Amino acid sequence: MSVKKYPSLFMLTVTVIFVPAYAQEVLPFPPKASGSKAAYSMQESTYSPLAPSRHLPDDAPNILIVLIDDTGPGQTNTYGGEMNTPTLSAIADEGISYNRFHTTAMCSPTRAALLTGRNHHRVGSGQITELANDWDGYMGVIPKSSATVAEVLKNYGYSTSAFGKWHNTPAMETTAVGPFDNWPTGYGFEYFYGFLAGEASQWEPQLVRNTSYVEHPKTSGGNDYYHLSEDLADDAIYWLREHKALAPDKPFLMYWASGALHGPHHVPKEWADKYKGKFDSGWDEYRKRVFVRAKEQGWIPENAQLTPRPDSLASWDSIPESEKPFQARLMEVFAGFAEHTDAQVGRIVDEIDTLGYRDNTLIFYIWGDNGASAEGQNGAISELLAQNGIPATIEQQIKALDSLGGLDVLGSPKTDNMYHAGWAWAGGSPYQGTKLLASYFGGTRNPLAVRWPEKIKPDTVARAQFLDVNDIAPTIYDILDISPPKEVNGINQDPIDGVSFTSTFNDSQAKEVQTTQYFEIMGSRAIYQDGWIASVIGPRLPWVPGTPSGLKDWNPANDQWELYNLNEDWTQANDLAEKMPEKLTEMKKLFLDEFTENKGLPVGGGLWIIAMHPELRLAPPHTSWAFPGAITRMPEVAAPALGNKENLVTVEVEVPENANGVIYALGAFSGGLSLYVKEGVLSYEYNLFEIERTHIRAKEKLAAGKHKIEVETTYVEKKPAGPLNVVIKVDGKEVASGVVPISAPLLFTANDALDFGIDLGSPVGLEYFDDAPFKFNGTIKGATVNYLSLEQEQKK
């Protein structure tokens, strides 16, 4: 079954010890006892404190886990790609690499498995947190019965820190008031700096330090601008220096999970310009070049086959010539983004080496929490266009881009660009699939480089043992010679699913330790055992726009399975299902056994909201809100849905002469809405992902004094993305109205917010972009938001 036998000891030698020297079944450790003996008076007492308790071996290593987001094996030149990643190459050259290491095909599930050592459904993470539901495997909360590696190591004496993307906290718990049990600091990380959502603008992120929302610094990385990846490296370096100064006797665990290379693809122009012209031949030719180079480098075997492009994905030749510069520039920006991110990892590694930690620091550099992302579909200047199902031609987007400054604007704060799915498919060379497909290695196979100079001898021979992301935590436990606790903080613990792969560190031919592993994301699924894999694509392809026809009636029992002999077929190129029906039946039964054991049922449970019940999509439980003053930084996912619910916003304001500034804003420059005053004129903007902006303006200036401003939003035609009527009143009198032709049915952003009195983060409005954050020069006395449908029902 899925519960693997746990290795008893870290073995770089043949010595076998069956009882871990540092076994502790219950955590935390009991408090240190006093060695002193108290009597009636101090003179009669004996003062003799015991030596400090130590629960780790004297040579316990420091540990750095680097997790890059949304990238495939064919995108780094370390393993055959064309994006320069010198830090990854250095880690690989100074250590070892694994070419059959696997993730889950989606971010939140991979992170949960990485941190706990368990399969993602077992820890309630079968889907991203924003799509959580009530099935056990999809609740979106890592149970405290599966303690993270940070929680365990903290109890053993490690200093623990996390930086960057988290995405394992229920979305409704991400506001400034928590609760905080499921934030990083509630899972064993003593320090956290980053963001809680699935993505963030690299230019204007909404950030958290421990349990408080904070503003990012004005500059980063020693530059005169700000960039999130640089800021995360700056903060990690500062933390390392503090640790060296204040706790040099303690080893550290650092989890550095960059928001890159997830969309939006943001990078300074000079980094993107390094790749000018390099992708003009398109994704089909790029994929072929990577395939040849990966073989030359020994990253894939000589008998590996290059799998073909699926018919449902556009060829480069089919792209109109007028659109190719746009598509090529999207890839140039991504490539610069990749190199820039790797450079930030390099700064952290250099700091570790400079501080004297090099030899005894174990580094796991994971190139991708899943395969490269096809979520950009046909390419986009605002990536949530696709997620909202808004139809927009590339011609429309290029026209909108031209109005902002043309191709050079891609990667800047004025776009949330995401490349064409063809580039993601090419980045998974030579495998089938992309992110979100758990059936194919293009969605699940990500390179892993490991460096530990004190214990691992550099070796350029790629380790080909089949491994999973859930193997990282038990490998760390094995190295430290500690056994996973049976109880943590009073809660009995779930079994560990991963296995230690320390036996492979200095032996490239070591016996495979991970013999069975299932995969499943949104109905796309596979089962691996002893060199065989059976797989099912599932009901949807991530690069195809829109909802597949018949999705609501999809029955996994009718899916067509495929079967591959990986000992002879490295890339899942030759389907043996028809030739070997008995073997396929055996593998299908194994999948169901494993999936059931790990709380994965129902099959495709992650689609419950997307396919079956969109009305249950994540939303605040409230229908009315009261904001006493200028409240800011309310995550959009937890805020009133002002852009797609019938609502009435009422704001009490005190207006000065020559009024300017934002009354309220929801979202970002890539998509959102805003009510603001510009040179005394009250204005409203509905920004539909940059392709269409609706401006509604009062004809007269807003007089100085106290006013009640009301904005009423109702549907012209109540349907997803339907047009909206917007009416603006001041002191009960209508001053402006208009129609928003198309609305955003889901969310404008993943990580921006609702602000009153200012537009923090990325500014929504085009008219005040250069004046951001455009703080209101009057006073917001208070505001209320009410959903109108409820009020109307009450009136009936």
Side-chain angles (χ1 to χ4, degrees):
M1 299 300 288
S2 62
V3 180
K4 318 290 193 310
K5 181 180 178 182
Y6 184 79
S8 62
L9 180 65
F10 170 49
M11 291 187 59
L12 292 180
T13 69
V14 296
T15 304
V16 178
I17 300 175
F18 294 98
V19 180
Y22 297 91
Q24 175 68 21
E25 292 191 349
V26 178
L27 292 178
F29 286 86
K32 177 189 170 187
S34 170
S36 302
K37 294 182 179 180
Y40 179 72
S41 68
M42 287 188 286
Q43 290 82 358
E44 297 171 290
S45 302
T46 302
Y47 186 75
S48 180
L50 300 176
S53 301
R54 184 169 176 82
H55 307 299
L56 293 166
D58 291 338
D59 62 348
N62 301 303
I63 301 168
L64 170 64
I65 301 173
V66 174
L67 182 64
I68 306 300
D69 203 326
D70 280 11
T71 186
Q75 292 179 321
T76 164
N77 69 342
T78 306
Y79 303 117
E82 295 183 5
M83 276 133 263
N84 295 319
T85 52
T87 304
L88 180 56
S89 295
I91 298 299
D93 291 343
E94 297 164 11
I96 54 177
S97 295
Y98 293 83
N99 61 5
R100 293 210 302 165
F101 178 83
H102 300 84
T103 54
T104 71
M106 185 180 263
C107 47
S108 296
T110 289
R111 290 154 200 272
L114 168 66
L115 293 173
T116 65
R118 279 90 170 179
N119 287 321
H120 54 301
H121 293 91
R122 188 186 296 280
V123 292
S125 301
Q127 178 59 289
I128 58 173
T129 57
E130 292 86 350
L131 294 173
N133 58 51
D134 196 51
W135 307 116
D136 283 338
Y138 306 88
M139 287 190 169
V141 180
I142 299 175
K144 300 299 183 178
S145 57
S146 288
T148 68
V149 66
E151 182 69 39
V152 173
L153 265 59
K154 179 187 72 173
N155 276 281
Y156 270 86
Y158 270 74
S159 295
T160 59
S161 62
F163 300 85
K165 175 177 169 177
W166 179 247
H167 210 196
N168 287 114
T169 296
M172 287 302 150
E173 296 181 11
T174 61
T175 71
V177 296
F180 304 113
D181 305 56
N182 297 315
W183 288 37
T185 52
Y187 284 107
F189 288 105
E190 297 166 308
Y191 179 81
F192 172 70
Y193 181 63
F195 59 97
L196 300 175
E199 64 176 61
S201 166
Q202 294 286 319
W203 302 114
E204 294 134 335
Q206 180 164 255
L207 295 176
V208 166
R209 178 169 280 113
N210 298 323
T211 58
S212 298
Y213 279 94
V214 295
E215 297 303 316
H216 63 72
K218 294 185 182 300
T219 60
S220 60
N223 298 303
D224 60 357
Y225 58 80
Y226 175 85
H227 191 279
L228 175 57
S229 298
E230 296 174 359
D231 183 20
L232 295 175
D234 290 347
D235 210 71
I237 289 169
Y238 184 77
W239 185 88
L240 286 168
R241 291 175 180 175
E242 277 200 323
H243 177 272
K244 179 74 170 181
L246 304 176
D249 57 330
K250 295 179 68 175
F252 65 79
L253 167 69
M254 177 183 287
Y255 171 51
W256 198 84
S258 168
L261 302 166
H262 196 290
H265 299 158
H266 284 158
V267 74
K269 182 175 178 294
E270 60 267 25
W271 289 81
D273 285 349
K274 291 183 178 185
Y275 293 90
K276 271 197 171 182
K278 292 187 181 296
F279 307 114
D280 289 354
S281 59
W283 44 76
D284 294 287
E285 292 303 316
Y286 177 90
R287 185 172 167 91
K288 293 174 185 176
R289 295 196 302 270
V290 172
F291 177 62
V292 171
R293 196 178 299 109
K295 279 191 177 183
E296 292 173 349
Q297 293 180 202
W299 181 243
I300 58 176
E302 278 298 320
N303 65 350
Q305 299 178 56
L306 181 62
T307 56
R309 175 176 39 77
D311 294 338
S312 53
L313 186 64
S315 68
W316 180 254
D317 287 345
S318 70
I319 301 298
E321 288 299 320
S322 61
E323 297 178 4
K324 284 183 177 179
F326 171 73
Q327 301 291 3
R329 184 57 178 176
L330 288 174
M331 183 57 175
E332 292 169 7
V333 172
F334 177 84
F337 195 26
E339 183 173 346
H340 179 264
T341 304
D342 179 80
Q344 308 318 308
V345 180
R347 293 175 58 215
I348 297 169
V349 173
D350 287 347
E351 186 66 26
I352 286 171
D353 294 353
T354 299
L355 293 174
Y357 292 136
R358 173 187 170 85
D359 288 348
N360 198 29
T361 295
L362 170 63
I363 298 176
F364 296 98
Y365 193 150
I366 306 170
W367 183 252
D369 60 351
N370 41 242
S373 174
E375 293 162 301
Q377 297 184 346
N378 295 324
I381 62 171
S382 186
E383 55 160 344
L384 263 66
L385 267 169
Q387 280 79 354
N388 277 271
I390 304 293
T393 66
I394 298 302
E395 185 180 8
Q396 282 179 291
Q397 296 193 59
I398 292 174
K399 183 178 179 181
L401 185 65
D402 286 344
S403 72
L404 297 172
L407 292 179
D408 283 347
V409 176
L410 292 172
S412 78
K414 288 189 173 181
T415 59
D416 267 16
N417 46 284
M418 184 78 175
Y419 61 11
H420 192 289
W423 293 120
W425 165 74
S429 178
Y431 306 111
Q432 299 188 64
T434 64
K435 174 186 178 180
L436 302 182
L437 289 183
S439 53
Y440 296 132
F441 295 144
T444 62
R445 181 165 286 179
N446 292 94
L448 166 66
V450 181
R451 189 192 84 172
W452 188 10
E454 194 168 281
K455 296 288 185 179
I456 297 177
K457 184 178 180 181
D459 187 357
T460 58
V461 176
R463 269 67 176 150
Q465 292 85 2
F466 197 97
L467 299 177
D468 189 79
V469 69
N470 63 27
D471 297 330
I472 296 288
T475 298
I476 291 171
Y477 296 149
D478 195 19
I479 287 168
L480 296 173
D481 197 15
I482 61 178
S483 57
K486 295 183 178 179
E487 180 182 310
V488 178
N489 298 324
I491 300 175
N492 292 332
Q493 294 295 290
D494 299 319
I496 294 280
D497 296 307
V499 293
S500 170
F501 56 93
T502 55
S503 59
T504 67
F505 280 2
N506 284 316
D507 183 0
S508 63
Q509 302 304 311
K511 182 180 178 181
E512 193 161 276
V513 293
Q514 180 70 278
T515 58
T516 304
Q517 181 61 48
Y518 82 89
F519 301 85
E520 194 276 344
I521 291 294
M522 295 193 293
S524 180
R525 55 204 190 274
I527 180 71
Y528 168 83
Q529 186 178 58
D530 296 330
W532 290 85
I533 193 166
S535 61
V536 174
I537 294 174
R540 60 197 293 267
L541 295 171
W543 52 80
V544 177
T547 301
S549 60
L551 184 59
K552 281 193 173 184
D553 300 319
W554 167 69
N555 185 341
N558 299 327
D559 283 347
Q560 183 173 342
W561 284 74
E562 300 167 6
L563 178 69
Y564 301 96
N565 179 357
L566 299 179
N567 294 320
E568 301 173 358
D569 178 12
W570 184 268
T571 61
Q572 296 173 284
N574 301 304
D575 180 12
L576 302 175
E578 290 187 5
K579 294 181 180 179
M580 305 183 69
E582 292 182 0
K583 181 65 176 178
L584 180 60
T585 299
E586 172 193 330
M587 295 293 283
K588 289 168 64 176
K589 181 181 183 304
L590 179 62
F591 172 83
L592 186 57
D593 289 344
E594 291 287 307
F595 201 55
T596 303
E597 164 68 20
N598 282 277
K599 304 179 181 179
L601 294 175
V603 175
L607 289 167
W608 178 253
I609 291 173
I610 296 175
M612 306 297 182
H613 292 283
E615 76 278 5
L616 297 179
R617 70 179 179 84
L618 197 64
H622 314 295
T623 56
S624 63
W625 290 259
F627 298 95
I631 303 299
T632 61
R633 289 297 195 191
M634 187 177 190
E636 183 182 351
V637 70
L642 304 182
N644 54 36
K645 288 269 192 184
E646 295 190 323
N647 67 86
L648 175 65
V649 182
T650 303
V651 189
E652 301 285 347
V653 297
E654 189 165 334
V655 179
E657 296 286 351
N658 301 315
N660 277 290
V662 170
I663 306 296
Y664 65 83
L666 175 70
F669 195 77
S670 58
L673 57 83
S674 176
L675 180 72
Y676 59 95
V677 186
K678 182 81 169 180
E679 296 178 354
V681 177
L682 191 61
S683 299
Y684 174 95
E685 178 179 332
Y686 195 105
N687 170 4
L688 186 71
F689 305 108
E690 304 197 57
I691 61 169
E692 185 173 73
R693 294 176 184 268
T694 302
H695 289 93
I696 301 171
R697 294 182 178 85
K699 294 181 179 178
E700 298 179 359
K701 287 189 175 183
L702 191 61
K706 294 181 179 180
H707 296 287
K708 181 173 76 171
I709 300 175
E710 296 171 289
V711 180
E712 183 178 86
T713 303
T714 56
Y715 275 103
V716 175
E717 186 180 351
K718 197 161 187 179
K719 63 179 183 179
L724 302 173
N725 270 322
V726 178
V727 177
I728 304 172
K729 296 179 180 180
V730 176
D731 301 328
K733 178 183 177 183
E734 182 177 320
V735 297
S737 64
V739 174
V740 175
I742 303 173
S743 59
L746 297 177
L747 293 168
F748 289 118
T749 69
N751 188 50
D752 222 295
L754 172 65
D755 297 318
F756 284 88
I758 197 169
D759 191 351
L760 298 170
S762 175
V764 172
L766 184 63
E767 287 191 327
Y768 62 82
F769 181 87
D770 293 332
D771 299 316
F774 205 39
K775 184 177 180 179
F776 181 50
N777 61 355
T779 303
I780 306 291
K781 296 290 188 179
T784 60
V785 176
N786 292 283
Y787 286 162
L788 291 177
S789 56
L790 179 66
E791 288 187 351
Q792 291 163 353
E793 288 298 320
Q794 289 174 341
K795 288 178 181 178
K796 290 178 184 178

